[in-house]
Amino acid sequence: DTAVSQTPKYLVTQMGNDKSIKCEQNLGHDTMYWYKQDSKKFLKIMFSYNNKELIINETVPNRFSPKSPDKAHLNLHINSLELGDSAVYFCASSQDSTGANVLTFGAGSRLTVL
Amino acid sequence: AQSVAQPEDQVNVAEGNPLTVKCTYSVSGNPYLFWYVQYPNRGLQFLLKYITGDNLVKGSYGFEAEFNKSQTSFHLKKPSALVSDSALYFCAVRDLKYGNKLVFGAGTILRVKS
């Protein structure tokens, strides 16, 4: 069983559309994250949830809306997609939110906006 | 100053030779330091971490890193490189200035040639 699984793995869509990426972890972790990796491979945190509560909300356009229905799931919805949203989005989880624990990453969801 | 810096975009080394991938940090308080590796089209995988204790930390796949407080460095090392070590390596630090958020360096591409 994959520890952190994201779907879909690839998304290709037109500007202006809305899309969602789903993430699930079966590790029993309390904390989940969304990271964005751009074309230069730079990795930046977007959001973090601890037990379904939002604890990190970086300077991200409000077109991006995370939702955590329970602590095992963290979804990312993106409205009105723009060219600059093209990137690989990684979901991750950790045991807690102290920053001392290892992050387990999903395989990534590559979003291409045309 | 950046919380974490990886001064080399790329490191080239011959198979069998020792390798070093550099990382320096600038944080408030005691740093929590991590190394992750990313293979092509994959998510990041944890290699090792320093939280407290021995300055020399041993991790997965024969990698190790030394925490050097005076030089604020946490360089990744391996005594004998393998071609299969070729990947993108990220150093990360928990910076209390940003809560418990993990800040990633820009990444260093390691190329091991046979």
Side-chain angles (χ1 to χ4, degrees), chain A residues 93-114:
Chain A
S93 71
S94 64
Q95 189 172 341
D96 58 36
S97 58
T98 61
N101 291 295
V102 173
L103 266 62
T104 302
F105 283 82
S109 297
R110 182 178 295 275
L111 172 65
T112 303
V113 182
L114 303 174

Side-chain angles (χ1 to χ4, degrees), chain A residues 9-10 35 37 40-43 45 56 58 90 97-108 110, chain B residues 2 32 34 36 38 41-46 49 51 88 90 94 98 100-107:
Chain A
K9 194 170 172 63
Y10 299 98
Y35 280 85
Q37 187 173 45
K40 294 185 178 178
K41 305 297 185 185
F42 189 69
L43 201 63
I45 190 167
I56 293 175
E58 289 296 286
F90 286 101
S97 58
T98 61
N101 291 295
V102 173
L103 266 62
T104 302
F105 283 82
R110 182 178 295 275
Chain B
Q2 284 180 304
Y32 292 175
F34 300 79
Y36 287 83
Q38 185 179 24
N41 300 312
R42 304 281 294 274
L44 278 71
Q45 296 175 34
F46 169 73
K49 70 176 181 179
I51 304 297
L88 179 59
F90 289 97
R94 186 198 74 166
Y98 302 110
N100 288 327
K101 186 175 68 173
L102 202 60
V103 179
F104 283 83

Side-chain angles (χ1 to χ4, degrees), chain B residues 3-21:
Chain B
S3 299
V4 58
Q6 293 180 242
E8 302 151 318
D9 290 338
Q10 185 166 317
V11 169
N12 298 311
V13 65
E15 188 175 32
N17 282 2
L19 70 87
T20 299
V21 183

Side-chain angles (χ1 to χ4, degrees), chain A residues 1 18 21-23 30-31 43 45 50 58 62 65 87 91 97 107 110-111:
Chain A
D1 276 349
D18 304 339
I21 308 171
K22 295 187 175 184
C23 179
D30 284 346
T31 309
L43 201 63
I45 190 167
N50 188 61
E58 289 296 286
N62 57 16
S65 51
C91 177
S97 58
R110 182 178 295 275
L111 172 65

Side-chain angles (χ1 to χ4, degrees), chain B residues 4-9 21-24 35 89-91 105-108:
Chain B
V4 58
Q6 293 180 242
E8 302 151 318
D9 290 338
V21 183
K22 294 180 180 176
C23 173
T24 59
W35 275 102
Y89 289 80
F90 289 97
C91 184
T108 299

Side-chain angles (χ1 to χ4, degrees), chain A:
Chain A
D1 276 349
T2 305
V4 179
S5 57
Q6 308 178 215
T7 53
K9 194 170 172 63
Y10 299 98
L11 290 121
V12 180
T13 189
Q14 301 286 332
M15 277 175 55
N17 284 351
D18 304 339
K19 287 293 177 188
S20 292
I21 308 171
K22 295 187 175 184
C23 179
E24 176 181 4
Q25 55 97 1
N26 63 6
L27 298 167
H29 288 169
D30 284 346
T31 309
M32 294 185 74
Y33 311 80
W34 278 112
Y35 280 85
K36 178 180 180 182
Q37 187 173 45
D38 63 23
S39 58
K40 294 185 178 178
K41 305 297 185 185
F42 189 69
L43 201 63
K44 191 164 189 289
I45 190 167
M46 301 173 69
F47 302 103
S48 176
Y49 274 73
N50 188 61
N51 273 319
K52 302 192 297 175
E53 284 195 31
L54 182 65
I55 57 171
I56 293 175
N57 185 354
E58 289 296 286
T59 308
V60 174
N62 57 16
R63 298 181 294 103
F64 290 78
S65 51
K67 278 194 172 52
S68 182
D70 56 60
K71 75 173 194 177
H73 295 85
L74 180 61
N75 304 322
L76 183 65
H77 187 75
I78 315 170
N79 289 325
S80 304
L81 279 156
E82 299 178 357
L83 293 176
D85 297 332
S86 295
V88 182
Y89 293 85
F90 286 101
C91 177
S93 71
S94 64
Q95 189 172 341
D96 58 36
S97 58
T98 61
N101 291 295
V102 173
L103 266 62
T104 302
F105 283 82
S109 297
R110 182 178 295 275
L111 172 65
T112 303
V113 182
L114 303 174

